Amino acid sequence: MQPILELKGATKDFRGVYAIKNIDLTLQEGEVHAILGENGAGKSTLMKALAGVHHLSSGEIHLAGKPVTLGSPLAALKAGIAMVFQETNLVGSMTVAQNIYLGEERFLNGLRKLNIRAKQFLMSMNFDVEPSALVSSLGAAQRQMVEVARATHHAAKVIIFDEPTATLTPEEKHHFFGLIKRLRERGTSILFITHALEEALQLSDTITILRDGEKIVSGPTETFTRESIIRNMVGRELSGELYGARKGHEVAIRAPQSKMLSVDNLSMGKIVRNTSFSIYGGQVTGMFGLVGAGRTETMKIVAGAFKRNVFHGGEVRLNGKAVRYRVPRTAMRDGIVYVTEDRKQDGFFETMSIAENIHMGALARGNNPLSVVSMRQAKALAADWTKSLSIRAINTSSKVIELSGGNQQKVVIAKSLVQKPELVIFDEPTRGVDVGSIVEIHDLINRLADEGIAVVLISSYLPEVLALSDRILVTRQGQVVEEMSAGDATEDKIMYAAVH
Ligand SMILES: Nc1ncnc2c1ncn2[C@@H]1O[C@H](COP(=O)(O)OP(=O)(O)OP(=O)(O)O)[C@@H](O)[C@H]1O
Ligand SMILES: [Mg+2]
């Protein structure tokens, strides 16, 4: 059968360093093809070359048998290839409808007509999105729907997704899986990148694995297992169980040290409702809840990380002293850091280097002039962190924006930890991070708690919560509703508390 898309010898270097080398790939009509690999393996680069974002240094792209040059994302879209990026590509200040028909001025004139048209179009795809809503007001799943609508509107034959499920709730993921199946039935071919190996096994027809910019293996999904995928990704056996249950058997549960934080009747609008709990030093406290349960918001209030000075009631005490932070800087001075889930929004300074970001992190804590870190020290620190978290970059003066998604996440973590905090709040720390690096980040979290630091882990992945926590707080509708010791906790018990 004539493949819809064929890549031959695809190679791309950035200033002489190869991101992908000599990759061949074929995609049939209606095929769902998963692209897997560690952080920095070259997945996004390969996909961006197909979407007209990067131009190959050498190699060819064939569409339906004919060689094509894809000079820009718009050219790729016109040729029938659409990409939904790791970081969304929509215009936030425009409406849903305007984004779908972007670049088609004839539609942009009559807004009312445009909205009606968009409404019908969205409904035909079963998408529940309001055409007149501003894109900036939408959640991740709805943004994705808008991107797919835009691609479908342009009659894309190939749709590429870069980590589509990373920011989705379990319910939204379910919808996304349905969407992929419907697209496949229509004959649309799908390429998608994911770090969730179960998803690749469940959803794809074909799996391709990249390592260090090279294609290691490609074949029908049924010829792979979770273990064989990992082995091909990392090039060795990964020892130990990634999410070994804790339960007080294998790893001792840490006893609480001093009470570091106490939160009493904290509330903010409808999101945080009269919530009370404590956090202790020398422990990992897991916070589990369904999306919308207010975990992020609660901890952002604690860390002064809300952009606006929103009113909120209740009390937060740090080591017994009442505090109320309006900006993260003052919370950092007192030793609280919030390691963000949204690295694009408030994680780092993207046009600065890794070392400069770490330098900024170190300066933020600078209440003691003797502790201020020089740029030379920052470079040494950056080199240490680059090694201990295996951040993959050409060197520490690479700009953060040039790093792969997962490596950016690691810089955010490093930048926060150079501040030598006493209370660290990790919000989804392993999202977008490959299986090997998850182990490193988990080790790091354990080490912090062993050193006496109070660690809060917000995670939507129950096995992760169970594997790391000494104590678990379950939140529901803006409130901590139950507290469990890791020894008593099971997935069922936590889930029950989170929904009932
Ligand atoms: N614009 C750029 N300039 C310089 N180097 C780049 C650029 N984009 C990517 N790279 C480098 O190319 C390599 C592959 O990056 P890529 O983003 O393709 O990885 P990835 O497989 O998508 O990883 P992740 O799972 O972390 O998203 C990395 O070493 C990265 O630093
Ligand atoms: Mg990527």
Side-chain angles (χ1 to χ4, degrees):
M1 215 165 50
Q2 167 81 60
I4 177 91
L5 182 75
E6 216 174 344
L7 261 177
K8 294 180 181 175
T11 300
K12 171 75 187 172
D13 73 277
F14 293 103
R15 283 169 279 143
V17 179
Y18 287 93
I20 49 170
K21 277 173 266 182
N22 201 26
I23 292 184
D24 294 337
L25 193 85
T26 58
L27 185 69
Q28 302 290 347
E29 194 178 303
E31 177 182 333
V32 178
H33 194 133
I35 308 289
L36 307 179
E38 288 184 291
N39 295 131
K43 305 178 296 295
S44 294
T45 304
L46 183 67
M47 294 300 111
K48 283 180 179 168
L50 288 173
V53 178
H54 290 323
H55 304 153
L56 291 176
S57 317
S58 62
E60 286 174 19
I61 302 171
H62 291 231
L63 255 180
K66 293 193 198 69
V68 288
T69 323
L70 305 167
S72 68
L74 195 60
L77 191 58
K78 291 206 167 123
I81 304 177
M83 179 158 173
V84 179
F85 292 91
Q86 216 163 353
E87 50 296 311
T88 174
N89 208 29
L90 300 169
V91 186
S93 57
M94 287 190 185
T95 67
V96 168
Q98 285 169 325
N99 267 281
I100 294 175
Y101 300 113
L102 196 65
E104 293 168 68
E105 278 67 23
R106 67 194 166 101
F107 285 133
L108 290 177
N109 295 329
L111 259 187
R112 220 179 84 82
K113 258 203 301 202
L114 182 76
N115 284 339
I116 294 171
R117 209 190 146 87
K119 178 113 207 159
Q120 286 167 346
F121 184 56
L122 288 162
M123 273 167 59
S124 75
M125 281 179 299
N126 262 330
F127 288 171
D128 181 20
V129 193
E130 178 51 44
S132 59
L134 284 182
V135 161
S136 57
S137 72
L138 302 182
Q142 290 190 315
R143 282 179 193 229
Q144 222 170 54
M145 289 178 195
V146 177
E147 302 229 33
V148 172
R150 184 168 149 72
T152 312
H153 170 65
H154 283 85
K157 295 182 198 69
V158 178
I159 303 184
I160 303 170
F161 292 93
D162 196 345
E163 297 187 34
T165 56
T167 48
L168 300 186
T169 65
E171 165 115 11
E172 290 169 342
K173 267 183 211 173
H174 186 75
H175 281 291
F176 177 77
F177 286 13
L179 170 67
I180 295 295
K181 288 188 184 125
R182 266 179 286 142
L183 286 169
R184 172 211 260 148
E185 278 158 21
R186 290 184 181 200
T188 310
S189 308
I190 308 284
L191 279 159
F192 76 103
I193 299 174
T194 184
H195 287 292
L197 309 185
E198 301 75 23
E199 256 166 42
L201 287 165
Q202 209 181 321
L203 209 56
S204 69
D205 305 307
T206 314
I207 288 178
T208 292
I209 298 176
L210 307 185
R211 191 199 318 147
D212 295 333
E214 293 182 63
K215 184 173 94 177
I216 298 301
V217 59
S218 189
T221 300
E222 58 272 20
T223 60
F224 289 92
T225 62
R226 193 184 149 80
E227 288 66 38
S228 73
I229 292 174
I230 294 177
R231 200 176 333 108
N232 281 300
M233 276 174 63
V234 303
R236 62 194 149 85
E237 296 284 346
L238 264 195
S239 58
E241 185 69 30
L242 185 49
Y243 294 111
R246 175 121 200 196
K247 304 238 180 92
H249 305 306
E250 294 129 55
V251 192
I253 291 171
R254 298 177 193 89
Q257 297 177 11
S258 65
K259 186 193 277 190
M260 208 159 275
L261 185 80
S262 63
V263 171
D264 288 298
N265 296 317
L266 189 70
S267 41
M268 184 187 76
K270 289 184 177 151
I271 306 170
V272 179
R273 301 185 197 214
N274 238 7
T275 190
S276 304
F277 59 92
S278 304
I279 303 291
Y280 301 88
Q283 269 196 327
V284 179
T285 303
M287 269 192 144
F288 182 81
L290 303 180
V291 170
R295 297 168 299 167
T296 291
E297 290 79 4
T298 301
M299 294 321 288
K300 272 191 161 177
I301 295 174
V302 167
F306 262 111
K307 291 244 162 55
R308 284 162 299 160
N309 182 10
V310 273
F311 171 79
H312 49 82
E315 197 170 57
V316 178
R317 289 177 170 271
L318 181 70
N319 293 318
K321 190 180 125 232
V323 292
R324 178 168 293 194
Y325 303 110
R326 301 189 194 287
V327 286
R329 191 163 34 90
T330 46
M332 277 170 199
R333 284 208 186 124
D334 286 352
I336 302 180
V337 296
Y338 169 74
V339 185
T340 176
E341 64 169 337
D342 192 347
R343 52 185 181 249
K344 273 272 151 164
Q345 289 248 330
D346 31 29
F348 53 71
F349 305 94
E350 58 179 33
T351 56
M352 291 191 193
S353 68
I354 301 174
E356 282 165 331
N357 266 280
I358 287 182
H359 192 214
M360 295 299 286
L363 289 181
R365 182 80 207 259
N367 47 356
N368 169 6
L370 292 177
S371 74
V372 171
V373 169
S374 72
M375 194 58 210
R376 172 140 42 98
Q377 287 168 313
K379 279 195 177 147
L381 268 175
D384 285 349
W385 279 103
T386 303
K387 193 153 162 266
S388 68
L389 284 179
S390 50
I391 298 174
R392 292 193 28 166
I394 299 167
N395 58 46
T396 53
S397 45
S398 302
K399 289 194 180 99
V400 170
I401 198 162
E402 295 172 353
L403 300 182
S404 76
N407 284 306
Q408 292 180 354
Q409 177 65 21
K410 297 183 199 171
V411 174
V412 172
I413 293 176
K415 173 175 163 256
S416 307
L417 294 184
V418 290
Q419 296 162 25
K420 298 226 178 351
E422 281 132 51
L423 170 64
V424 190
I425 302 150
F426 286 103
D427 199 345
E428 307 286 358
T430 57
R431 193 173 264 178
V433 165
D434 67 54
V435 277
S437 303
I438 288 175
V439 177
E440 281 149 19
I441 293 176
H442 283 182
D443 284 350
L444 179 76
I445 289 175
N446 277 321
R447 244 180 299 139
L448 291 170
D450 288 341
E451 287 166 13
I453 290 166
V455 182
V456 175
L457 168 72
I458 299 176
S459 169
S460 300
Y461 192 48
L462 260 181
E464 180 167 58
V465 173
L466 280 166
L468 288 174
S469 309
D470 300 297
R471 189 170 153 257
I472 296 162
L473 303 177
V474 183
T475 50
R476 181 177 6 113
Q477 293 174 346
Q479 209 174 43
V480 171
V481 290
E482 196 149 334
E483 178 180 334
M484 297 176 206
S485 155
D488 306 326
T490 62
E491 289 208 16
D492 287 348
K493 275 193 201 166
I494 296 175
M495 229 24 210
Y496 188 85
V499 294
H500 286 87

